[in-house]
Amino acid sequence: MNRLWPVLLPELRQFPAVEQDEALKAARDTELDMLELLGMAAGLVAVTALTRYSVADPSLSSRFGVAVLNFALAMPLLAVFLGPFHVRRLRRGLRDRLQRRGRP
């Protein structure tokens, strides 16, 4: 398991080490709530707006180079804008699983 997950998901530490991978997989199956859906949609719109480009040179190589650069810029932006909503969903899924097990 990734060492970053216990830092981002403190609820994961409440599971025994052998159950953490299974708990994380179950948390990934948690449905997105309305706030997460709206936030992700807004994040996608924001990243799309930030990565719009126009190319003065109509050559194929120029357009391809700008598209690759645009992609390289968009990927970290997507992680920054959408990542918190993914972590929120995972934390909510882990809390639900803990409540079903009878632990607060």
Side-chain angles (χ1 to χ4, degrees), residues 36-82:
E36 293 157 351
L37 284 172
L38 292 174
M40 291 177 95
L44 283 172
V45 169
V47 170
T48 301
L50 289 171
T51 56
R52 292 191 68 191
Y53 65 92
S54 61
V55 181
D57 184 16
S59 70
L60 182 60
S61 63
S62 175
R63 289 191 322 214
F64 181 73
V66 172
V68 169
L69 181 63
N70 192 36
F71 178 76
L73 178 64
M75 291 311 292
L77 284 174
L78 285 170
V80 167
F81 278 80
L82 304 182

Side-chain angles (χ1 to χ4, degrees), residues 8-12 14-15 23 26-27 30 33 36 87-104:
L8 292 174
L9 308 169
E11 294 84 358
L12 194 58
Q14 296 179 25
F15 290 93
T30 303
D33 66 8
E36 293 157 351
V87 170
R88 181 182 187 273
R89 177 183 60 120
L90 290 176
R91 291 187 70 184
R92 192 168 41 83
L94 289 172
R95 283 192 301 267
D96 289 345
R97 189 167 170 98
L98 283 170
Q99 283 181 344
R100 281 185 272 141
R101 288 179 60 182
R103 294 183 184 167

